């Protein structure tokens, strides 16, 4: 039986006393922090880029104990629960998806619980559910430290815990994907009992109420902080990336090496806190811009740097010329906002964008995706925002590689490039600070170009597809060459990615009338044949099928399928029916 979300409050639904449940939620958080009207829930029930569905209510606890009480009420009532922080995921993993659930769903949004605890002199931190990478970056400045990510998820307001739950990131090649074995989380056991698991490495007491209250108030001493033999980051990643002859990818979401407790859980447990390492901030930074028309040049450069350099670069992000052009035109407004106002404004911008689209959707004569159309129109009046030397390289070269270096790696990279390009096709230039900032920002906003293009041209083209794929570390033919029977069905292809770890974002728009689902299956079969893994860093959400390793992990964490049912296209039914 399908669950119909279009009920009115005031009766039993699938065995759930709706009136009583809503009353209990409001008793815990206060009336204004429980949303039941469609307009209020819209912001939380629609994915940032993918997926949407209906929820009975959205509850926003103000502290950890309130979150625990909400979970207890939901579990006792027989509801499904989706834990949600910033809702910035790209594959729809933090919202309901469709309507074929067998129970009402309550979204628990944790953004009001945004505390960060600095421990061990700044070498580690404890992030509560609503704490963001952006806030953490600011908190760590005075310690001379940095978080796991310093751009990307940081800029769109993603949460620290969200990154851990999705094994996100890895573009910073000396840090790897987000990972920890130190966390505090709730799960529902086989008997449908809500339990609290403390693997945080801090003595917080005995009962859930005591532990959560003490953690919320930072009511613990340095002596109560333990340092067990457990990881708070991926300590092997640099060695994995350097293994350039391995026939497996460096990182991907179904990697069983990095599935542990909260890490990789994708919302199948309710995470209250994670403890993660921080990293020394660089003293000096320099960006090198590489251009070539031969993909083999970048393949050789990558292998030389990873196998021969003593000091690895910080990042190395690839951009194809077609993606360069699309980003210049369709991500211009995002670039300008970040460049002029800073990354701190981006979460506010996305919030405004969603509200504008919600209002526009209720006005009959307003076009779909009005905010995208408006921002694109306004951006046309802004002059060219990219540096002259980047534009010259755009005309000269098809393949662009933006390599960020720090401290000792700067001179090592400089010397190598000067010698290498004396005899090879292509060239490089050493960016000024201004050029380097713009080169990195241009690559960062590339992710929004495909969505904007599709919003503007949706009446003329077919569906949009984004595939997040990791190729084996020894793959030489990293640049995509599709067979004609597939290539001819595509209207637009935008390629960018993290070349050092061979993780690429392959964005497509199919031609009008093409079956996007069937075409995607053909593309994924090609990747399978090449030993690739997908998704690589955005997790399965509702867009990808969870591979057996992931599905087994989810079932172990959540045997009754209470949390985030349906993730990875698994069963949405209670007890995994």
């Amino acid at each position: 039986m399908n669950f119909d979300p279009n009920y009115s409050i005031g009766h039993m639904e699938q065995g759930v006393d709706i009136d009583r449940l809503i009353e209990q939620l409001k008793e815990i958080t206060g009336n204004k922090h429980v949303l039941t009207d469609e307009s209020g829930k819209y912001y939380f029930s629609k994915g940032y880029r993918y997926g949407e569905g209906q929820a009975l209510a959205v509850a926003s606890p103000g502290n950890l104990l309130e979150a625990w009480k909400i979970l207890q009420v939901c579990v006792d009532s027989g509801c499904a629960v989706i834990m949600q922080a910033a809702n910035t995921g790209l594959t729809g993993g933090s919202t309901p998806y469709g309507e074929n659930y067998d129970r009402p769903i309550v979204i628990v949004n944790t953004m009001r619980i945004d505390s960060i605890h600095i421990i061990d002199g700044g070498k580690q931190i404890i992030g509560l559910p609503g704490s963001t990478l952006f806030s953490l970056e600011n908190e760590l400045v005075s310690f001379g430290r940095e978080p796991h990510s310093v751009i990307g998820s940081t800029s769109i307001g993603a949460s620290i815990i969200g990154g851990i739950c999705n094994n996100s990131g890895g573009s910073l090649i000396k840090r790897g994907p987000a990972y920890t074995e130190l966390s505090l989380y709730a799960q529902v056991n086989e008997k449908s009992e809500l339990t609290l698991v403390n693997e945080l490495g801090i003595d917080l007491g005995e009962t859930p109420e005591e532990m959560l209250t003490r953690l919320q108030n930072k009511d613990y001493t340095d002596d109560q902080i333990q340092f067990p033999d457990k990881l708070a980051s991926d300590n092997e990643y640099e060695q994995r990336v350097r293994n350039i002859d391995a026939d497996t990818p460096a990182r991907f979401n179904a990697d069983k090496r990095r599935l542990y407790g909260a890490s990789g859980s994708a919302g199948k447990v309710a995470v209250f806190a994670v403890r993660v390492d921080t990293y020394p901030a660089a003293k000096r930074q320099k960006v090198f811009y590489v251009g070539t028309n031969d993909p083999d040049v970048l393949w050789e450069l990558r292998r030389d740097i990873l196998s021969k350099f003593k000091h690895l670069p910080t990042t190395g992000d690839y951009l194809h010329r077609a993606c360069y052009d699309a980003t210049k035109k369709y991500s211009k407004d995002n670039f300008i906002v970040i460049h002029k106002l800073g990354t701190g404004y981006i979460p506010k911008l996305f919030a405004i964008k969603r509200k504008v689209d919600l209002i526009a959707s209720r006005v009959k004569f307003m076009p779909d995706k009005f905010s995208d159309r408006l921002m694109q129109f306004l951006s046309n009046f802004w002059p060219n925002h990219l540096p002259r030397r980047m534009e010259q390289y755009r005309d000269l070269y098809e393949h662009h590689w933006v390599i960020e270096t720090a401290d000792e790696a700067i001179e090592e990279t400089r010397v190598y490039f000067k010698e290498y390009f004396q005899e090879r096709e292509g060239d490089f230039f050493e960016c000024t600070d201004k050029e380097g900032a713009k080169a990195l920002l241009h690559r960062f906003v590339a992710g929004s170009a495909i969505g904007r293009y599709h919003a503007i041209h949706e009446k003329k083209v077919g569906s949009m597809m984004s595939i997040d794929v990791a190729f084996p570390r020894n793959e030489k033919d990293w640049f995509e060459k599709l067979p004609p029977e597939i290539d001819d069905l595509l209207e637009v292809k935008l390629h960018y990615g993290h070349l050092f770890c061979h993780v690429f974002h392959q964005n497509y728009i199919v031609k009008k009338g093409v079956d996007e689902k069937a075409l995607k299956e053909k593309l994924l079969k090609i990747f399978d044949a090449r030993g690739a893994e997908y998704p690589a860093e955005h997790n399965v959400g509702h867009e990808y099928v969870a591979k057996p390793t992931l599905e087994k992990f989810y079932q172990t964490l959540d045997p009754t399928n209470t949390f985030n049912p349906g993730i990875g296209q698994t069963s949405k039914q209670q007890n995994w029916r």
Side-chain angles (χ1 to χ4, degrees), residues 166-181:
N166 292 312
N167 289 142
S168 300
S171 63
L172 294 168
I173 59 178
K174 291 182 283 186
R175 301 184 189 179
Y179 181 74
T180 188
E181 295 168 359

Side-chain angles (χ1 to χ4, degrees), residues 420-557:
Y420 182 89
F421 283 108
Q422 287 180 0
E423 300 178 359
R424 307 297 203 288
E425 189 274 336
D427 207 349
F428 82 102
F429 67 86
E430 191 172 321
C431 295
T432 64
D433 290 345
K434 184 176 179 180
E435 287 174 329
K438 288 193 170 187
L440 291 171
L441 183 53
H442 184 63
R443 161 57 191 89
F444 164 61
V445 299
S448 64
I450 192 78
R452 175 64 58 79
Y453 184 103
H454 190 260
I456 300 300
H457 302 284
E458 62 180 343
K459 292 184 179 180
K460 301 177 182 178
V461 298
S463 301
M464 176 177 65
M465 295 189 300
S466 297
I467 300 178
D468 167 29
V469 60
F471 290 113
R473 285 163 280 177
N474 65 351
E475 175 64 77
K476 182 177 181 180
D477 296 324
W478 59 271
F479 184 67
E480 184 173 71
K481 299 183 181 73
L482 294 173
E485 61 270 20
I486 290 180
D487 201 47
D488 291 344
L489 301 178
L490 298 171
E491 186 78 32
V492 176
K493 295 182 296 184
L494 301 183
H495 297 104
Y496 60 94
H498 316 295
L499 192 57
F500 280 121
C501 53
H502 262 16
V503 168
F504 296 95
H505 303 287
Q506 319 275 51
N507 292 335
Y508 313 94
I509 295 176
V510 304
K511 292 181 178 178
K512 202 168 185 65
V514 171
D515 184 339
E516 173 257 342
K517 186 176 181 180
L519 181 59
K520 187 172 184 176
E521 289 178 358
K522 292 180 181 179
L523 282 167
L524 294 181
K525 286 181 179 179
I526 291 175
F527 295 149
D528 289 336
R530 297 174 63 184
E533 292 279 357
Y534 49 84
E537 64 181 19
H538 292 159
N539 219 326
V540 290
H542 290 282
E543 191 171 7
Y544 295 90
V545 174
K547 294 190 175 181
T549 300
L550 270 182
E551 185 169 6
K552 182 179 179 181
F553 180 58
Y554 296 159
Q555 290 177 342
T556 301
L557 289 176

Side-chain angles (χ1 to χ4, degrees), residues 105-400:
I105 295 171
V106 174
I107 296 173
V108 181
N109 184 275
T110 60
M111 291 305 290
R112 295 176 62 211
I113 315 173
D114 59 356
S115 296
I116 295 171
H117 301 175
I118 308 293
I119 62 174
D120 195 20
K123 293 179 182 178
Q124 289 187 333
I125 66 95
I126 296 170
L128 300 196
S131 57
T132 66
L133 287 163
F134 177 75
S135 296
L136 178 57
E137 188 175 7
N138 291 334
E139 290 269 356
L140 290 174
V141 169
S142 61
F143 293 89
R145 311 282 293 185
E146 291 180 340
H148 167 265
S149 298
V150 293
I151 197 168
S153 296
T154 311
S155 301
I156 61 175
S159 70
I160 298 168
I161 285 179
I164 293 294
C165 290
N166 292 312
N167 289 142
S168 300
S171 63
L172 294 168
I173 59 178
K174 291 182 283 186
R175 301 184 189 179
Y179 181 74
T180 188
E181 295 168 359
L182 301 167
S183 62
L184 178 70
Y185 59 90
Q187 64 182 151
V188 178
N189 63 21
E190 296 90 341
K191 299 178 182 179
S192 296
E193 299 168 334
L194 185 69
T195 63
L196 187 65
V197 180
N198 183 8
E199 294 183 328
L200 201 56
I202 301 177
D203 181 6
L204 295 169
E206 298 298 327
T207 68
E209 292 78 10
E210 181 186 8
M211 287 189 280
L212 295 171
T213 300
R214 288 182 59 188
L215 180 60
Q216 180 76 55
N217 297 331
K218 203 177 181 182
D219 181 18
Y220 54 86
T221 65
D222 289 346
D223 292 338
Q224 290 169 315
I225 302 175
Q226 303 147 6
F227 292 87
D229 187 20
K230 289 187 175 183
L231 299 176
S233 60
D234 187 340
N235 64 336
E236 300 173 344
Y237 189 65
E238 181 175 337
Q239 288 71 36
R240 285 183 64 81
V241 173
R242 284 183 179 274
N243 187 2
I244 56 176
D245 293 318
D247 60 1
T248 57
R251 59 183 173 100
F252 54 98
N253 289 117
D255 185 354
K256 62 182 179 182
R257 297 170 48 257
R258 290 296 176 250
L259 299 176
Y260 184 98
S263 294
S265 62
K268 297 304 291 181
V269 292
V271 185
F272 290 109
V274 294
R275 179 173 163 183
V276 295
D277 291 331
T278 67
Y279 304 84
K283 297 179 178 64
R284 297 179 298 129
Q285 294 176 309
K286 178 64 65 175
V287 173
F288 295 87
Y289 200 99
V290 176
T292 181
N293 290 308
D294 184 356
D296 286 349
V297 167
L298 298 189
W299 173 78
E300 186 175 48
L301 281 173
R302 170 186 173 272
R303 289 179 64 85
D304 280 357
I305 292 171
L306 290 177
S307 63
K308 298 176 182 178
F309 274 33
K310 181 178 181 181
H311 305 286
L312 288 183
T314 305
T315 62
D317 278 1
Y318 167 78
L319 202 66
H320 184 258
R321 178 190 279 157
C323 193
Y324 179 108
D325 291 343
T327 302
K328 177 182 175 182
K329 181 174 182 178
Y330 294 105
S331 300
K332 188 177 183 179
D333 53 309
N334 286 336
F335 182 105
I336 293 166
V337 168
I338 296 175
H339 181 63
K340 297 296 182 182
L341 301 178
T343 55
Y345 192 75
I346 289 297
K348 298 176 185 176
L349 178 65
F350 283 124
I352 293 170
K353 181 180 185 298
R354 288 190 182 189
K355 289 177 181 177
V356 168
D357 284 337
L358 175 60
I359 294 170
S361 68
R362 296 174 175 174
V363 181
K364 289 184 178 180
F365 63 84
M366 297 288 275
D368 290 339
K369 300 178 181 176
F370 175 74
S371 64
D372 283 295
R373 297 175 185 275
L374 176 62
M375 294 303 291
Q376 188 61 38
F377 174 75
L378 294 175
S379 70
N380 291 331
F381 295 98
W382 197 272
N384 186 8
H385 55 290
L386 297 179
R388 178 180 56 84
R389 286 199 288 181
M390 281 178 60
E391 293 285 74
Q392 290 174 340
Y393 267 49
R394 182 268 164 217
D395 294 337
L396 289 170
Y397 302 116
E398 180 181 0
H399 304 284
H400 298 236

